[in-house]
Amino acid sequence: MNRTASYFVTGHPLGHSMSPFIHARLFALGGRQAEYAVRDIAPDALADELPRRMAEADGVNVTIPHKQAVIPLLDRLEGRAALYRSVNTIRIDADGRVG
């Protein structure tokens, strides 16, 4: 049996986010069994809450105001995230948490 992949977007505030609707449709079109949620995390709670949330996820989309604040919570940066010191996505797998 295939496991349902779990993803979320984080930022603050996120009441306006269309990401769950968009990703649900993309997953359906691609035949992927996945869920996508909104995790509104206030900046002062990021260091405590994001690692706990990432432990239960396969990936994260990052938006304002967390694009740089997430960096110390990751194992490493790659590509443009490393170049610009700004993270849009976090891949979570056996290699760790990669921006």
Side-chain angles (χ1 to χ4, degrees):
M1 184 171 151
N2 290 338
R3 176 179 84 73
T4 300
S6 178
Y7 303 93
F8 65 90
V9 61
T10 191
H12 182 74
L14 287 179
H16 63 282
S17 180
M18 295 295 294
S19 290
F21 171 78
I22 293 167
H23 284 83
R25 185 70 180 131
L26 291 171
F27 291 144
L29 288 170
R32 287 203 65 199
Q33 187 175 349
E35 58 185 31
Y36 191 94
V38 172
R39 301 287 184 245
D40 190 320
I41 302 175
D44 61 342
L46 187 70
D48 292 327
E49 192 168 339
L50 185 61
R52 181 173 50 82
R53 297 282 188 171
M54 286 192 295
E56 303 168 354
D58 297 290
V60 180
N61 288 112
V62 181
T63 193
I64 301 297
H66 301 325
K67 290 181 176 284
Q68 294 176 321
V70 300
I71 293 172
L73 306 175
L74 305 178
D75 296 308
R76 71 178 185 283
L77 299 178
E78 293 180 347
R80 289 190 174 131
L83 179 65
Y84 296 114
R85 306 292 300 167
S86 181
V87 175
N88 290 323
T89 59
I90 301 170
R91 182 181 74 235
I92 303 167
D93 58 23
D95 292 330
R97 299 173 297 202
V98 183

